[in-house]
Amino acid sequence: MADELNDSRKNSKDEQLDSFRVDDKGKTLTTNQGLKVSEDEFSLKAGERGPTLMEDFHFREKITHFDHERIPERVVHARGFAVHGEFQLYKSMKKYTRAKFLQDTSKKTPVFVRFSTVNGARGSADTVRDARGFATKFYTEEGNYDLVANNIPVFFIQDAIKFPDVVHAFKPEPDNDIPQASTAHDTFWDFVANNQESAHMIMWIMSDRAIPRSFRMMEGFGVHTFRLVNDHGKAHFVKFHWKPALGTHSLVWDEAHKLAGIDPDFHRNDLWGAIEKGFFPEYELGVQILAEEDEFSLGFDILDATKLWPEEDIPVTIIGKMTLNRNVDNFFAETEQVAFHLGNVVPGIDFTNDPLLQGRLFSYLDTQLIRLGGPNFHEIPINRPVVPFHNNQREGYHRQTINLGKVSYHRNSLAGDTPAPVSEGEGGYASYQEKVEGRKIRARSESFADHFSQATLFWNSMSLPEKMHIIEAFSFELGKVKSESVKQQVVDMFANVSLELATAFAVNVGANPPKGDGSTITKSSPALSQENTPKTAKTRKVAVILTDGFNGPEVKYVLDSLMTEGLMPEIISENIGTVQGTNGVKLRAKHTFLTAKSVLFDAVYMVRGSVKNKKFNKDAAYFIDEAFSHYKPIGATGVGIKWLEINDFKGKPGVIVGTDIGEFVEAIAAHRFWERMLV
Ligand code: HDD
């Protein structure tokens, strides 16, 4: 609740939400009409064993409200998790944009960010292979600005008119509603092979990017080329990036699979838990800027949403930081009812003619009408701007504002011709006056024809383990496709990206090796590989396997040091509760092997104790074996070291023995030891 918020986190949005917050604790139960209720367990009946009476208004109100508790889930991005935060600029962008929140470095702009999977239903698992949504609402002093981004910088299609087609292809097949939340089926791959503009996006979807370790460890991309416009009306093209302070990291596929069963809420638990612990996720906002006169200088069309701007060609300038610092009070009221829309812009930010962007500008407003039940969803607390809104729109379902006076039209004399538009100089939004001419035509520009060069660029930029993961992902997904023809079409298509790639997965899925010469593109972009991401051990979860009789001072030293370094050690023991070490050291075990599986942790610290418990030993062996097979760092002291020797882990990459905390933390920061793949 807001009154518990420490002051540094309070902001204008939070203050606004305060007036809508209600605490029912300690209150008398009433009906929605404020009538105090004397009985809430028994309906009104004609006699104790008689029928319920129509007259029972309390029963009817309660049941009717319950019957109508659900709203339609989002047609895509149904499963999501949102949090509050703030954005602060490092350096003024005044040279490029009139947007005030991108000019004043002293201001903190409240934000609300919703992360999501694209494909699955509201109740599906977090760790499926999919793109992730990364939608940010900035509550600026000039109104709401929405940056509706994904964790992948390109898209499946080039024109929004194909969006229903791609979504129908990747959603569960209509006859049996299989598969849920993931994309391994015939219709999706049939779409891919017959709509080859998808090649680049598919490379990302088959890569580790599509199984992120955490929402806190994902990049975000605005995808489209937008425009920044400055005070003098001068425009620049821009691409928006979010860069996570913790770096960009992923799960491994086997882990992602298991997590979907063990903890379907893995990503929301991770984000919620980090914020509750005070580990506030941070992302820097970056921009790539291109002068208007350089529009045709990149060798591809900047209006084509299947293309990225290689960061080595056009560097990303970091301009500010977003800190996510507060969980929601109520999932439905905030996360479910938030409505994003690309058309929510502020002066100084404008669109381009990217046909995908143009179509999105229609879809986002339209979809809220059915989802939120009418045109007044902007009045829902989470959607309200922090500045007042005045216009002549009236009535409609769920209207809350009580507009005074008789006048609801423009122009008028009765209200002094107000509310009145203002000039650009006074903050009025005016669209960039791009000169446009052309014939009405349904066609794709020739400049959108190259579907493979950047897919190859992506492949060329991957490290060896990343390439192996991509081959595995294609082999898994296509391996589930029943149609031999579709499999072959996909193999032949991806030979255009890389002959090496297509040949490798063709063998695995029982298709014929591809024909052709493959790609001649040799360019790579190191920024695309997660090998080159920032690496830190901060906020990583370490499983500590411990029984009574452990070396008290030694273990206490290791755990205290890990916590000082910003890690989260959690003890697994025979029972939940106190574990007793030497020298009177007592620690609290949070888990047993029933509640904790290795996939829930980033690293293991193996200690054990003096207890001999066969079942515990067997579970510990499985636990550590699985962690090792997922390339995770493993540390050991005391009896734990012997155990590593038995399993022949000692001396292997990422296995740290002894109390050298620096070495262990460095290993945890490395995240995975892919060398184990090759030994
Ligand atoms: Fe979309 C939701 C991101 C293409 C139509 N989209 C939605 C969300 C994100 C994106 C993050 C979830 C918002 C939330 O959390 O509430 N979408 C993208 C990106 C795209 C993209 C990065 C390509 C660059 N989307 C796209 C197209 C269309 C849509 C081409 C339609 C023509 N998207 C929608 C939608 C959704 C949506 C149907 C569903 C729920 C919602 O809008 O509010 O309007």
Side-chain angles (χ1 to χ4, degrees):
M1 292 297 292
D3 50 1
E4 289 166 15
L5 267 187
N6 100 32
D7 279 343
S8 65
R9 281 192 288 163
K10 263 204 160 298
N11 58 40
S12 50
K13 185 62 193 176
D14 190 58
E15 274 159 21
Q16 184 192 56
L17 290 179
D18 246 352
S19 58
F20 296 96
R21 290 180 171 120
V22 173
D23 189 355
D24 299 315
K25 198 171 160 201
K27 304 290 184 326
T28 299
L29 187 76
T30 72
T31 65
N32 286 334
Q33 307 307 314
L35 177 74
K36 288 179 186 155
V37 166
S38 63
E39 174 57 66
D40 191 39
E41 282 188 275
F42 310 115
S43 55
L44 188 68
K45 304 180 194 73
E48 280 167 17
R49 299 182 63 248
T52 299
L53 297 176
M54 185 72 163
E55 175 188 326
D56 191 349
F57 58 86
H58 171 47
F59 168 83
R60 278 190 284 120
E61 181 194 270
K62 186 174 172 182
I63 296 297
T64 305
H65 196 278
F66 169 76
D67 289 344
H68 296 260
E69 269 176 18
R70 298 286 171 271
I71 63 171
E73 66 175 31
R74 289 167 174 81
V75 56
V76 284
H77 296 265
R79 182 170 177 80
F81 198 72
V83 294
H84 293 271
E86 61 195 24
F87 172 76
Q88 190 161 10
L89 206 61
Y90 292 148
K91 57 186 235 176
S92 173
M93 293 297 288
K94 194 172 169 39
K95 182 175 163 202
Y96 297 107
T97 177
R98 343 175 11 212
K100 289 203 173 134
F101 85 106
L102 294 179
Q103 293 196 2
D104 186 347
T105 53
S106 68
K107 277 238 163 79
K108 287 183 178 169
T109 305
V111 295
F112 191 61
V113 180
R114 185 173 180 272
F115 299 104
S116 48
T117 52
V118 182
N119 189 355
R122 257 191 72 179
S124 57
D126 279 347
T127 57
V128 295
R129 179 175 296 283
D130 198 355
R132 299 297 186 286
F134 188 150
T136 305
K137 194 180 280 294
F138 295 83
Y139 300 98
T140 89
E141 61 188 290
E142 297 177 292
N144 290 348
Y145 168 58
D146 292 356
L147 179 55
V148 195
N150 277 347
N151 75 330
I152 291 180
V154 290
F155 205 62
F156 294 104
I157 47 168
Q158 296 169 317
D159 189 318
I161 199 168
K162 288 167 77 80
F163 192 62
D165 300 295
V166 65
V167 175
H168 289 171
F170 69 55
K171 281 276 183 183
E173 287 177 348
D175 49 355
N176 55 16
D177 209 28
I178 295 173
Q180 290 292 308
S182 54
T183 50
H185 54 17
D186 287 51
T187 53
F188 179 67
W189 289 100
D190 189 33
F191 178 89
V192 169
N194 289 284
N195 297 271
Q196 302 205 344
E197 68 209 71
S198 59
H200 189 189
M201 176 82 168
I202 296 303
M203 292 300 293
W204 285 77
I205 295 278
M206 292 300 109
S207 81
D208 294 344
R209 299 281 181 148
I211 40 172
R213 156 67 182 81
S214 160
F215 292 140
R216 302 179 293 130
M217 299 169 202
M218 291 184 335
E219 285 183 282
F221 302 93
V223 179
H224 310 285
T225 302
F226 290 93
R227 267 199 177 86
L228 292 180
V229 188
N230 69 13
D231 278 328
H232 309 292
K234 169 99 181 125
H236 285 83
F237 294 113
V238 63
K239 289 249 190 195
F240 290 108
H241 295 245
W242 288 117
K243 301 255 181 204
L246 296 174
T248 311
H249 301 281
S250 293
L251 300 168
V252 296
W253 186 222
D254 180 61
E255 195 184 17
H257 259 308
K258 288 175 174 162
L259 276 169
I262 288 166
D263 184 6
D265 303 314
F266 183 68
H267 284 150
R268 52 174 70 180
N269 263 327
D270 171 272
L271 182 57
W272 174 278
I275 290 180
E276 290 300 297
K277 279 204 162 66
F279 292 141
F280 299 147
E282 293 175 348
Y283 308 79
E284 287 185 315
L285 182 64
V287 288
Q288 286 174 297
I289 305 259
L290 185 71
E292 283 217 307
E293 46 279 21
D294 294 334
E295 178 171 1
F296 301 104
S297 67
L298 297 184
F300 53 84
D301 198 325
I302 61 166
L303 301 185
D304 175 358
T306 68
K307 302 292 187 297
L308 53 81
W309 300 356
E311 293 185 27
E312 293 76 14
D313 298 346
I314 304 188
V316 176
T317 308
I318 299 298
I319 64 166
K321 185 172 79 179
M322 175 167 78
T323 307
L324 302 181
N325 57 17
R326 189 162 68 76
N327 282 313
V328 297
D329 292 307
N330 186 285
F331 184 89
F332 181 84
E334 299 171 74
T335 309
E336 197 57 16
Q337 294 201 108
V338 67
F340 291 95
H341 174 28
L342 268 84
N344 292 348
V345 283
V346 291
I349 300 184
D350 213 314
F351 315 112
T352 60
N353 298 328
D354 170 348
L356 193 74
L357 191 169
Q358 292 284 320
R360 289 180 79 194
L361 286 170
F362 167 72
S363 186
Y364 286 75
L365 187 55
D366 181 51
T367 201
Q368 316 304 346
L369 299 178
I370 180 88
R371 202 170 70 78
L372 297 170
N376 288 315
F377 60 86
H378 60 283
E379 295 187 323
I380 296 172
I382 196 66
N383 294 325
R384 284 172 181 260
V386 291
V387 287
F389 48 92
H390 300 282
N391 55 46
N392 294 313
Q393 293 162 36
R394 294 289 187 275
E395 308 178 6
Y397 282 114
H398 318 305
R399 184 72 176 178
Q400 291 174 46
T401 308
I402 303 172
N403 297 97
L404 305 179
K406 295 181 192 300
V407 173
S408 54
Y409 50 88
H410 177 69
R411 299 175 168 265
N412 67 68
S413 66
L414 293 178
D417 206 18
T418 60
V422 292
S423 69
E424 252 183 287
E426 291 166 291
Y429 187 90
S431 294
Y432 178 65
Q433 294 191 9
E434 182 187 4
K435 186 162 183 292
V436 189
E437 59 181 4
R439 292 175 192 279
K440 282 194 251 176
I441 183 168
R442 289 188 186 274
R444 174 168 22 210
S445 164
E446 253 314 297
S447 56
F448 281 44
D450 169 19
H451 304 325
F452 295 110
S453 301
Q454 286 209 349
T456 305
L457 172 85
F458 183 75
W459 173 253
N460 291 347
S461 310
M462 296 292 101
S463 63
L464 182 60
E466 286 171 315
K467 283 187 171 173
M468 288 168 82
H469 295 160
I470 293 172
I471 293 170
E472 270 172 20
F474 270 102
S475 307
F476 174 90
E477 303 289 338
L478 268 192
K480 299 242 170 186
V481 167
K482 294 180 205 82
S483 162
E484 296 302 329
S485 146
V486 168
K487 277 192 213 177
Q488 194 61 51
Q489 290 175 56
V490 174
V491 167
D492 295 342
M493 170 179 168
F494 281 88
N496 295 311
V497 177
S498 158
L499 208 52
E500 180 196 11
L501 165 69
T503 307
F505 73 74
V507 173
N508 292 344
V509 303
N512 294 323
K515 297 187 190 85
D517 302 329
S519 174
T520 53
I521 306 280
T522 52
K523 183 172 173 168
S524 67
S525 164
L528 300 180
S529 169
Q530 288 179 243
E531 286 286 300
N532 304 322
T533 193
K535 301 211 165 76
T536 167
K538 284 202 187 333
T539 79
R540 299 267 179 197
K541 262 182 145 178
V542 184
V544 182
I545 301 179
L546 206 65
T547 57
D548 284 341
F550 62 88
N551 181 331
E554 186 175 78
V555 171
K556 194 162 177 334
Y557 163 74
V558 173
L559 298 195
D560 287 349
S561 309
L562 289 178
M563 284 191 286
T564 310
E565 295 283 338
L567 285 95
M568 296 192 269
E570 288 181 7
I571 296 171
I572 305 169
S573 193
E574 290 169 292
N575 308 301
I576 291 171
T578 305
V579 204
Q580 176 84 53
T582 59
N583 291 37
V585 174
K586 284 184 186 172
L587 294 170
R588 199 177 151 69
K590 193 173 170 191
H591 308 280
T592 65
F593 285 122
L594 284 175
T595 62
K597 308 291 173 192
S598 87
V599 290
L600 298 168
F601 298 89
D602 297 292
V604 188
Y605 171 38
M606 188 72 180
V607 189
R608 313 283 303 284
S610 55
V611 172
K612 296 198 168 34
N613 173 337
K614 268 194 177 166
K615 170 87 174 86
F616 187 84
N617 287 352
K618 210 171 143 206
D619 290 343
Y622 181 81
F623 190 99
I624 197 157
D625 223 46
E626 194 177 49
F628 187 85
S629 74
H630 292 149
Y631 317 101
K632 292 177 181 174
I634 296 174
T637 59
V639 190
I641 299 178
K642 274 197 199 135
W643 199 89
L644 290 186
E645 282 163 2
I646 297 166
N647 278 268
D648 201 23
F649 289 162
K650 216 175 148 193
K652 296 275 163 61
V655 177
I656 314 296
V657 168
T659 51
D660 185 340
I661 295 300
E663 206 188 342
F664 191 30
V665 169
E666 206 176 298
I668 296 171
H671 192 44
R672 309 276 175 177
F673 288 84
W674 303 119
E675 305 93 296
R676 290 182 204 156
M677 251 179 174
L678 310 168
V679 287

